[in-house]
Amino acid sequence: MRINQLQTEAKNRVNLEELHALNSAYGQRLKQKEIIQLVGLPAVVLGVFSLILTYIWWIVVGCTVIGAIYGYRFILPKVVNRRYQMQSLVARNKFLLNLTQVTMDNDLTILQSLAYVIDETEGELSEDLRSLYAALGVGSDPERVSYLLNNLSEKYHDDAIFGQYLEQLDTIIQEGKNNTDSLQYLTEHHSKMLEKVNLFLKKKNEMLSGVQTLLILMGAIILLFHGVSFFMNGDFAQYMDGYAHHPIGYVSSAICLTSLSMILNSFFKQYFDDSVTELGVRTKK
């Protein structure tokens, strides 16, 4: 099950059962604590900033609710989707490594080699391979073999290297000639692509840490004005009357909160844009 096939996205709403199913394809169901964290993070950010800027309860409540809705409808599905994609990619890479190693034994057929590695494969991919193995083991004709392998390739169409590996398996089955060099080359290329994807996501996480630091600094600057007001008057009256509850403060706070929301939304769209990680590069045979 892929996130773009879910009714969650098709109906523009979040179905927790579908997200649970996607998350458990290679692991466990979503924990309640994790859902609260992903939904609560943007709620807390907008709620805290609206509080220290305005001290108007209905604005604070409104911003907190908006943040929670954003976390639930955007961040939560994106996090689950990325986790699924990475776990699926790692599982496919492990499968290629294992199968390539087993096929080095020329005494084994592809079907026998497949039987050896299925138990070492995890999650949803393991179920796909078991179905494939069962279908291939029923004396399938060449056209059906190609059809079954092509269906598996289409399911993971973002991973073109995996698809080409399956094409090579199809050729080996049809011709009865074990081209281990080609399989090994594709496997090595797939492993290199996985390394690049991990490096890319690591850089994205570093950017996320930078945004978190920026938010802390912005909050500290606003609290600094609170401190100045308290230092000069022994209370926060100057900040409240001179800014928070002043027309200039209303306008400035509105601009600040709107800008903050737009910046965070733009960042998270780029942060979760993994289109460049799709393995859409075909290698030469």
Side-chain angles (χ1 to χ4, degrees):
M1 186 189 309
R2 296 174 61 84
I3 193 72
N4 57 11
Q5 295 174 330
L6 297 179
Q7 295 181 5
T8 284
E9 185 169 295
K11 296 182 179 179
N12 195 29
R13 61 182 175 81
V14 175
N15 185 316
L16 278 180
E17 283 305 311
E18 292 176 346
L19 293 181
H20 278 305
L22 193 68
N23 192 74
S24 60
Y26 290 92
Q28 301 176 347
R29 289 172 62 87
L30 277 170
K31 296 180 179 179
Q32 195 71 24
K33 179 180 179 181
E34 186 176 14
I35 296 175
I36 293 174
Q37 288 175 338
L38 293 173
V39 173
L41 177 61
V44 169
V45 169
L46 290 182
V48 168
F49 271 91
S50 62
L51 173 64
I52 61 179
L53 282 171
T54 67
Y55 287 95
I56 299 177
W57 71 268
W58 57 269
I59 293 180
V60 176
V61 172
C63 288
T64 302
V65 171
I66 291 173
I69 293 174
Y70 183 78
Y72 183 71
R73 297 186 61 177
F74 182 79
I75 294 181
L76 176 61
K78 292 293 185 181
V79 168
V80 172
N81 180 44
R82 173 176 285 180
R83 180 182 299 156
Y84 165 78
Q85 298 292 352
M86 284 305 301
Q87 290 174 334
S88 177
L89 177 59
V90 170
R92 293 196 298 275
N93 183 256
K94 182 179 179 180
F95 164 69
L96 297 187
L97 289 169
N98 290 338
L99 185 59
T100 300
Q101 184 177 7
V102 174
T103 54
M104 294 295 180
D105 185 349
N106 293 324
D107 294 331
L108 296 176
T109 65
I110 290 297
L111 195 60
Q112 291 171 329
S113 300
L114 192 60
Y116 274 105
V117 302
I118 284 179
D119 290 336
E120 301 297 324
T121 310
E122 301 173 350
E124 182 184 33
L125 181 61
S126 176
E127 298 175 5
D128 294 334
L129 293 174
R130 291 182 189 279
S131 299
L132 175 65
Y133 177 78
L136 291 176
V138 189
S140 300
D141 56 66
E143 290 185 1
R144 179 163 175 77
V145 170
S146 297
Y147 173 77
L148 293 171
L149 289 172
N150 183 66
N151 277 354
L152 184 58
S153 176
E154 283 297 318
K155 179 173 183 178
Y156 300 102
H157 62 86
D158 289 340
D159 190 344
I161 302 172
F162 181 73
Q164 193 165 4
Y165 189 97
L166 295 179
E167 290 176 9
Q168 287 295 318
L169 289 183
D170 186 21
T171 301
I172 293 172
I173 294 173
Q174 306 293 351
E175 298 179 357
K177 183 179 179 180
N178 197 350
N179 189 355
T180 56
D181 290 340
S182 180
L183 295 181
Q184 189 169 6
Y185 171 77
L186 289 169
T187 301
E188 290 175 355
H189 193 63
H190 195 273
S191 296
K192 291 179 181 178
M193 290 294 281
L194 177 59
E195 291 177 4
K196 291 180 179 179
V197 170
N198 285 328
L199 180 60
F200 180 73
L201 294 180
K202 181 180 179 181
K203 291 182 178 179
K204 281 197 170 189
N205 289 330
E206 290 174 353
M207 292 175 59
L208 178 60
S209 297
V211 170
Q212 292 172 340
T213 301
L214 179 61
L215 290 174
I216 293 174
L217 290 175
M218 291 175 60
I221 291 173
I222 297 174
L223 292 177
L224 180 62
F225 289 108
H226 287 68
V228 171
S229 174
F230 185 82
F231 179 77
M232 295 179 63
N233 303 288
D235 55 36
F236 299 114
Q238 183 175 357
Y239 178 83
M240 300 289 288
D241 298 335
Y243 177 81
H245 296 165
H246 190 277
I248 295 179
Y250 294 151
V251 175
S252 299
S253 296
I255 293 175
C256 182
L257 289 172
T258 301
S259 299
L260 177 63
S261 300
M262 293 176 64
I263 291 172
L264 289 177
N265 181 52
S266 177
F267 169 77
F268 280 118
K269 283 184 176 180
Q270 295 182 40
Y271 178 74
F272 288 114
D273 180 11
D274 294 336
S275 58
V276 296
T277 68
E278 294 178 359
L279 309 184
V281 180
R282 288 278 178 176
T283 58
K284 295 181 179 180
K285 292 185 179 182

